[in-house]
Amino acid sequence: AMSGHIAFSGGKWKIFAGAYRTPVASFDDDDQCGPSKTQAKRARRDLFNGIKGKYRGPSTFYQNADFPAVQVDEFVTIDNGEEIWQEIELPFTDNAAACQRIAMIDLRRNRQQIVTERIFKLSALYTSVGDTIELTDARKGWVNKVFEITRWELINQQDADGGSYLAIRMMLAEHSSSVFDWDPDNDEVAVDDEPDTNLPRPWVV
């Protein structure tokens, strides 16, 4: 209902609403102490450029109805003109405008495709799942690129001499404030207000 997600971290459940969060830290190569892995693109089966779905609310007498689909032409062009639809249900969102905004957030978030796994020194100990960070990687051409921490774990590493030390492994997902941009005048599609019937509601005496 708020395009958010939950995470269990430090013995507590944390709830994150669908909004941009300012990075809490900046890291570069000097903060890392292990190999990295990077996936630049999502698998085709996980990619989409439009979202359709259903909701229910006062305007539909709390019966399932379609909210106006959202799609970004630029994404369709990138996908060689092929329309790829994702279907969602928003049973706890009771107006079509909010549904469209949630769908657009999901769509733009899906197109942030870079995922990277990094191992950091204990200087990153104060971060946690749900935080956003800035990452600089000269080999990748990233300068203060924003990522969201989607997984965080304390691990035991071995140095060249066979000694052990603690480090932090993070899974980072590409993130951008533009994911949450919304202009009601341009992005929102009005729902047809014309009633489907003029018959009285059967549950009102």
Side-chain angles (χ1 to χ4, degrees):
M2 61 175 182
S3 191
H5 62 278
I6 62 174
F8 188 74
S9 177
K12 296 180 180 180
W13 285 103
K14 296 183 177 181
I15 302 174
F16 302 96
Y20 182 71
R21 293 181 295 280
T22 303
V24 300
S26 295
F27 299 121
D28 56 25
D29 292 340
D30 292 336
D31 298 296
Q32 300 178 55
C33 58
S36 64
K37 302 176 184 176
T38 300
Q39 176 183 308
K41 296 287 184 181
R42 295 183 188 275
R44 169 62 178 78
R45 65 178 179 275
D46 299 326
L47 204 62
F48 48 86
N49 51 44
I51 295 182
K52 301 175 181 178
K54 295 184 180 296
Y55 79 109
R56 54 176 177 257
S59 62
T60 69
F61 303 120
Y62 293 96
Q63 302 302 305
N64 281 341
D66 295 326
F67 62 80
V70 300
Q71 190 174 52
V72 177
D73 294 337
E74 179 185 353
F75 298 158
V76 177
T77 301
I78 293 172
D79 295 332
N80 298 318
E82 179 183 1
E83 294 187 344
I84 310 170
W85 292 97
Q86 173 81 349
E87 294 193 7
I88 63 174
E89 290 192 9
L90 300 173
F92 304 111
T93 307
D94 62 3
N95 70 85
C99 290
Q100 292 175 71
R101 186 170 186 178
I102 289 172
M104 184 61 77
I105 290 173
D106 286 350
L107 177 56
R108 288 176 175 155
R109 184 181 280 150
N110 177 261
R111 307 302 294 206
Q112 301 290 315
Q113 301 182 57
I114 299 175
V115 176
T116 184
E117 182 182 285
R118 302 286 166 138
I119 298 176
F120 292 99
K121 300 175 183 177
L122 291 182
S123 57
L125 189 62
Y126 62 93
T127 61
S128 63
V129 171
D131 287 340
T132 59
I133 64 169
E134 294 177 335
L135 182 62
T136 296
D137 186 328
R139 294 184 63 186
K140 296 287 191 301
W142 300 340
V143 178
N144 291 333
K145 185 171 178 60
V146 179
F147 287 88
E148 181 180 11
I149 302 173
T150 59
R151 195 176 75 218
W152 190 107
E153 60 180 329
L154 202 60
I155 62 173
N156 192 29
Q157 290 278 93
Q158 283 193 334
D159 58 26
D161 298 325
S164 62
Y165 62 94
L166 291 176
I168 299 166
R169 178 189 289 132
M170 293 187 199
M171 185 66 74
L172 306 173
E174 184 181 17
H175 198 58
S176 172
S177 61
S178 63
V179 167
F180 307 98
D181 289 345
W182 183 255
D183 182 354
D185 295 331
N186 296 318
D187 297 331
E188 187 176 317
V189 177
V191 177
D192 183 9
D193 293 327
E194 185 65 25
D196 295 331
T197 178
N198 60 5
L199 292 175
R201 287 187 281 174
W203 51 84
V204 177
V205 178

